[in-house]
Amino acid sequence: MKKALSLAMAAVLALSLTACGNSGSTAPAESSAPAQESAAPAESVEATTEASSSEVASDTADAGNAALKIAIVSSPSGVDDGSFNEDNYNGILSFIEKNPSSTVTPVKEPTGDTAAAVQAVADIVADYDAIVCCGFQFAGIAQIAQDNPNVKFILVDSFPSDAEGNEVEVDNIYAMQFKEQESGFFAGMAAAYETKSNKVAVVNGIAYPSNVNYQYGFECGVKYVNEVDGKSVELVELPSYAGTDVTGANVGGNYIGSFADEATGKVVGNALIDEGVDIMFVAAGASGNGVITAAKEAEGVYIIGCDVDQYDDGANGDANVILTSGLKVMSTNVDRALTSIADGSFKGGNVTLGADTDSTGYVSASGRCQLSADTITKIDAAYEKVKAGDIVPAANFNGITPDDFKAE
């Protein structure tokens, strides 16, 4: 199954790269503003931008002695995308604040092609101590890592695979995936508690596993509230936008078919609003901008963001359409991985991170969400159950479907 999934995903990865978030969204509170990035094509990537000690907090009290030369290789949206890439970059900046002798060079692979993404890493591998690779398009770096054992790699949102598409573990690659279904679960609970119309929906880009995880988790969150609190919130799906996952299975939901199609995103958003939906959880990359626009042009419609805090994306005059955001905490884990390189405790491996390591969650901070205190209390209680493993939301390939999910 692992090989089949890897091969199936490789065939479609070049279509798009980021799962959710939009330009202009806010990174987690601990992050800093991104610097400029290189925009050279993969064939001639050059390290042109570094954050020197004068650009970071040189007076950090407990600054480390590490002097890592770090590169971050990202998708065409770059490290200032206000979303996925930027959150990873902010993890590097957090590390540099504590280790001001270290530097970072952002490298943007401009084509989005999976082969080009891997080549971009190969072009620079000899120049760095650590390379952070942002996205599943970098799964093919396994051979590069094996050929360069002195370089440490941090791979985000994917596990490495060999030339035949088999998932592998490599001693110098720390690869992290996330339990997006947990963040989706909290988003589903938020939607079910806050809806006025009793109709909610999840909108995705393409039915990659991470997106299906968000969808299934959201559906489980709604189901949980219906069963626990006796509500009757309806999940609205548009049959013409049902998703097909990497195995060819129909997973339902509302899939735009791209992470870079704002026009269709707005069409889907408006169609759901016409069906009476007043809260939409959006995991659709730049396509989600169209859904947000549809919400802004409607009345009483709210969006739940994903991956990072997207509250700033929701500004609509004196109002805001972002209810909350489901979080995938990449920055903290990138910081942790770099710290392990610096202190000599680094270990390669493939890990799936969730609430038990504070790696999934939702935004509940005052001024960054519009959830009621009662809703926050109820989600927080469920969070502890998810963290303890007492609640296990459905995911694309964890053997549980939303139909199978039971609240208790």
Side-chain angles (χ1 to χ4, degrees):
M1 173 62 82
K2 288 180 179 178
K3 180 176 181 179
L5 291 179
S6 296
L7 291 173
M9 288 181 70
V12 293
L13 290 184
L15 294 174
S16 186
L17 302 175
T18 37
C20 22
N22 311 289
S23 176
S25 63
T26 305
E30 68 273 14
S31 61
S32 304
Q36 233 177 348
E37 83 239 22
S38 167
E43 302 80 44
S44 60
V45 172
E46 295 182 359
T48 59
T49 306
E50 293 191 352
S52 68
S53 58
S54 64
E55 296 170 322
V56 296
S58 59
D59 59 348
T60 302
D62 298 316
N65 296 318
L68 297 180
K69 193 174 182 182
I70 306 162
I72 176 171
V73 190
S74 68
S75 67
S77 57
V79 299
D80 57 354
D81 64 354
S83 181
F84 177 82
N85 294 324
E86 187 169 331
D87 197 42
N88 285 285
Y89 186 62
N90 285 331
I92 300 173
L93 295 184
S94 175
F95 169 79
I96 290 176
E97 286 178 357
K98 294 170 286 188
N99 299 273
S101 297
S102 297
T103 61
V104 59
T105 301
V107 178
K108 179 168 64 176
E109 195 294 298
T111 70
D113 178 72
T114 53
V118 174
Q119 185 61 49
V121 177
D123 287 344
I124 66 170
V125 66
D127 299 325
Y128 295 94
D129 303 308
I131 300 177
V132 179
C133 300
C134 305
F136 39 65
Q137 71 271 29
F138 294 99
I141 64 169
Q143 189 61 54
I144 297 172
Q146 291 167 339
D147 292 342
N148 296 273
N150 294 327
V151 180
K152 302 297 190 292
F153 295 83
I154 300 169
L155 178 58
V156 185
D157 244 19
S158 180
F159 292 156
S161 59
D162 62 18
E164 286 73 44
N166 298 301
E167 180 184 308
V168 295
E169 289 199 3
V170 181
D171 289 343
N172 56 331
I173 299 178
Y174 179 78
M176 63 182 89
Q177 293 187 13
F178 293 82
K179 297 178 182 179
E180 295 93 355
Q181 65 271 20
E182 294 180 353
S183 301
F185 181 81
F186 306 133
M189 288 187 67
Y193 280 127
E194 297 290 340
T195 179
K196 301 297 190 296
S197 68
N198 278 340
K199 291 185 177 183
V200 301
V202 54
V203 182
N204 296 90
I206 300 174
Y208 296 146
S210 58
N211 259 220
V212 179
N213 289 349
Y214 274 127
Q215 175 200 338
Y216 281 7
F218 182 84
E219 292 174 359
C220 291
V222 173
K223 186 175 182 181
Y224 181 86
V225 171
N226 282 344
E227 292 185 9
V228 170
D229 281 329
K231 297 197 71 173
S232 55
V233 178
E234 176 186 351
L235 286 155
V236 177
E237 297 183 339
L238 304 171
S240 58
Y241 289 99
T244 301
D245 75 7
V246 295
T247 68
N250 187 322
V251 295
N254 301 289
Y255 284 85
I256 294 167
S258 168
F259 294 117
D261 186 352
E262 291 189 30
T264 302
K266 186 176 181 182
V267 169
V268 173
N270 281 328
L272 289 167
I273 292 168
D274 288 343
E275 292 291 325
V277 171
D278 66 346
I279 298 177
M280 293 177 281
F281 176 42
V282 182
S287 299
N289 290 330
V291 186
I292 292 175
T293 298
K296 289 179 178 180
E297 293 177 356
E299 186 173 340
V301 176
Y302 291 89
I303 299 293
I304 298 175
C306 88
D307 275 358
V308 298
D309 178 354
Q310 291 189 251
Y311 192 77
D312 291 343
D313 288 327
N316 191 27
D318 294 333
N320 195 300
V321 300
I322 298 294
L323 182 66
T324 183
S325 298
L327 298 177
K328 187 159 68 173
V329 188
M330 297 164 288
S331 56
T332 298
N333 286 289
V334 169
D335 186 352
R336 288 170 177 168
L338 288 170
T339 298
S340 73
I341 296 172
D343 66 20
S345 64
F346 178 90
K347 291 183 180 179
N350 300 343
V351 299
T352 302
L353 302 168
D356 56 341
T357 57
D358 298 317
S359 298
T360 58
Y362 74 107
V363 175
S364 60
S366 176
R368 304 301 301 177
C369 78
Q370 300 183 80
L371 300 174
S372 70
D374 184 57
T375 293
I376 291 172
T377 296
K378 290 176 178 177
I379 298 177
D380 283 349
Y383 182 92
E384 293 304 318
K385 292 183 179 180
V386 171
K387 193 170 186 175
D390 297 329
I391 294 176
V392 181
N396 201 185
F397 300 113
N398 72 348
I400 306 171
T401 69
D403 287 340
D404 300 327
F405 175 79
K406 300 297 181 185
E408 299 293 348

